Amino acid sequence: GMGAAKVRDLFKQANEKAPCIVFIDEIDTIGKKRDGGQYGGNDEREQTLNQLLTEMDGFDGSKGVVILAATNRPESLDPALLRPGRFDRRIPVELPDLQGRIDILKVHAQKIKLAGNVDFSAIARTAAGASGAELANIINEAALRAVRLGRSCATQEDLMESVEVVIAGYQKKNRVLSNKEKLTVSYHEVGHALVAALQSQSAPVQKITIIPRTSGALGYTMQVDEGEHYLMTKTEMENKIATLTGGRAAEKLIFHEITTGASNDIEQATKLARSMVSRFGMSSEFGMVAMETVQSQYLGGDASLTCSMETQTKIDKKVTEIIQTQYDKAMQLLQTNQPKLHEIAKYLYEHETITGEEFMQILNRPMIEQQ
């Protein structure tokens, strides 16, 4: 009976101290759905919840007590807790948009010394999908990098590098690749970048690098959208899958051999293709039918299939088909532009990191210049 007693005590104190705000964090620990009393009537958690429901009854504005609660699992809460008169207003705290990211970066940047020419919007664009905590970490990493390099203030370059640290991990200087592996990674990354650049409706390439990272990546291609993106068209999703298969296609085309380097690409491409079929109704075979439901969207959003075994087999076949079609498209694009693939991969092999501008310059250069 301790939980119920504590709830009574909490509300007693709140009424004495009114006007005040009562904030309950992680409300799902005591506010979970009641499960038909299968534990008997003396379940401790249920008593606590009942007491909370009772205390919240009859609340009105004149009492001067406001109750707020936070949870990552709103779908698991008891419906009685969410009815009008109790917690009747929901405020989802989503990941910040572009302007939100700029403002959050500015708040955290007040704590460190910055160079005068720092462009927050460029950093915010690069860090698409980052949470507030990750943005704070980006500023912190930039300050640490500036100190390590003996500078008195953090520059734009420090901030850009720290975005990569948060996304992909630190540069792993002690991991030395053999020349053959380094060449393979060069072609793999340029394969991604070329396929992305040669397709319309694809995010522009910002940077390509073949310096290994602590996350296990031996290199990566960074694409950054110009503005904020809330909807993805079917074409954009297909283009993204083609870009993901571009690395493996380049390996196959140049070395007639494939490596383990594409494991993450394969994972992402499969996830995208499966979502197209089972969640977004983008296949003519199934049309607008949801084949899977997403649970706890604020905690990673696990999806579970809600269809028969026969349909699952069909979905798997369709997913394989989508990825194969895009792989063939990527292969076709790379075959047509093979001289450029060689030229850019050679440049990347020598320089280890190239910017989006350098990449586009080489790509748009007429071939005669190399003679």
Side-chain angles (χ1 to χ4, degrees):
M2 280 307 289
K6 283 181 176 170
V7 170
R8 272 196 301 276
D9 184 47
L10 168 70
F11 280 87
K12 185 168 169 263
Q13 282 189 53
N15 283 320
E16 285 167 5
K17 293 185 168 59
C20 68
I21 296 170
V22 174
F23 176 60
I24 307 170
D25 203 4
E26 307 295 355
I27 184 101
D28 51 283
T29 44
I30 57 166
K32 274 200 184 80
K33 284 190 179 90
R34 287 168 288 187
D35 40 22
Q38 64 193 46
Y39 297 115
N42 199 24
D43 179 20
E44 173 65 22
R45 200 186 70 224
E46 207 161 294
Q47 282 190 23
T48 310
L49 174 58
N50 285 340
Q51 188 60 47
L52 182 62
L53 294 171
T54 310
E55 293 288 352
M56 285 180 73
D57 258 347
F59 249 63
D60 56 36
S62 61
K63 284 196 174 171
V65 178
V66 176
I67 309 180
L68 301 176
T71 178
N72 288 318
R73 305 186 56 194
E75 74 288 340
S76 73
L77 294 177
D78 194 289
L81 203 56
L82 302 174
R83 71 159 180 73
R86 293 196 179 120
F87 290 117
D88 49 5
R89 184 181 296 185
R90 283 192 187 194
I91 304 161
V93 182
E94 304 285 348
L95 289 171
D97 60 6
L98 181 62
Q99 190 53 49
R101 289 197 297 277
I102 294 170
D103 294 339
I104 292 170
L105 283 167
K106 282 179 179 169
V107 167
H108 292 293
Q110 288 169 3
K111 298 170 193 165
I112 66 166
K113 273 189 184 173
L114 281 179
N117 59 349
V118 169
D119 177 14
F120 285 112
S121 67
I123 299 147
R125 264 203 308 277
T126 314
S131 65
E134 283 167 333
L135 293 166
N137 199 11
I138 286 168
I139 297 287
N140 192 34
E141 286 294 344
L144 291 172
R145 185 174 188 269
V147 170
R148 274 200 297 271
L149 297 173
R151 283 199 290 269
S152 59
C153 61
T155 61
Q156 182 81 4
E157 188 201 339
D158 292 327
L159 285 155
M160 282 305 199
E161 177 61 36
S162 66
V163 172
E164 291 176 50
V165 167
V166 171
I167 293 170
Y170 288 97
Q171 292 185 3
K172 207 164 186 182
K173 298 279 170 60
N174 58 352
R175 179 174 287 176
V176 181
L177 298 179
S178 68
N179 289 345
K180 187 177 184 305
E181 283 187 337
K182 196 173 158 187
L183 194 64
T184 307
V185 176
S186 290
Y187 275 100
H188 182 104
E189 294 309 329
V190 174
H192 286 310
L194 255 184
V195 173
L198 294 168
Q199 297 179 113
S200 59
Q201 297 186 42
S202 203
V205 174
Q206 168 98 5
K207 184 177 187 175
I208 316 168
T209 177
I210 54 168
I211 299 169
R213 296 267 166 178
T214 48
S215 63
L218 297 177
Y220 66 89
T221 302
M222 186 192 273
Q223 286 175 270
V224 178
D225 272 305
E226 287 304 311
E228 205 66 13
H229 228 53
Y230 296 107
L231 288 174
M232 265 186 108
T233 62
K234 186 181 177 185
T235 310
E236 282 173 335
M237 290 190 87
E238 286 172 345
N239 286 355
K240 200 167 183 185
I241 294 171
T243 302
L244 288 164
T245 60
R248 166 63 61 88
E251 287 178 18
K252 184 78 176 152
L253 180 66
I254 304 299
F255 302 104
H256 309 291
E257 185 62 278
I258 53 179
T259 69
T260 54
S263 63
N264 185 252
D265 306 333
I266 293 167
E267 213 174 293
Q268 287 188 57
T270 310
K271 211 171 173 184
L272 268 176
R274 188 170 285 280
S275 294
M276 281 174 74
V277 177
S278 58
R279 282 175 58 201
F280 304 134
M282 286 180 177
S283 76
S284 51
E285 207 166 321
F286 299 109
M288 288 176 61
V289 180
M291 300 294 177
E292 63 180 20
T293 51
V294 177
Q295 285 124 359
S296 53
Q297 61 178 49
Y298 299 105
L299 290 172
D302 301 324
S304 60
L305 284 163
T306 52
C307 56
S308 67
M309 291 303 287
E310 291 83 5
T311 311
Q312 282 188 38
T313 312
K314 282 184 189 170
I315 290 172
D316 292 339
K317 194 165 170 260
K318 190 72 189 162
V319 167
T320 314
E321 225 173 86
I322 290 171
I323 293 173
Q324 190 58 48
T325 308
Q326 296 312 313
Y327 175 80
D328 294 342
K329 181 168 89 176
M331 188 62 103
Q332 183 61 49
L333 283 169
L334 292 175
Q335 271 171 340
T336 315
N337 295 275
Q338 205 165 334
K340 280 291 173 198
L341 177 62
H342 286 302
E343 189 187 351
I344 301 168
K346 182 172 175 288
Y347 188 84
L348 179 63
Y349 179 82
E350 287 162 4
H351 292 77
E352 292 195 335
T353 299
I354 59 174
T355 64
E357 287 92 34
E358 288 173 313
F359 167 72
M360 289 311 288
Q361 266 170 11
I362 303 170
L363 183 60
N364 296 326
R365 218 159 52 189
M367 294 305 292
I368 310 110
E369 279 187 29
Q370 299 155 47
Q371 306 305 317

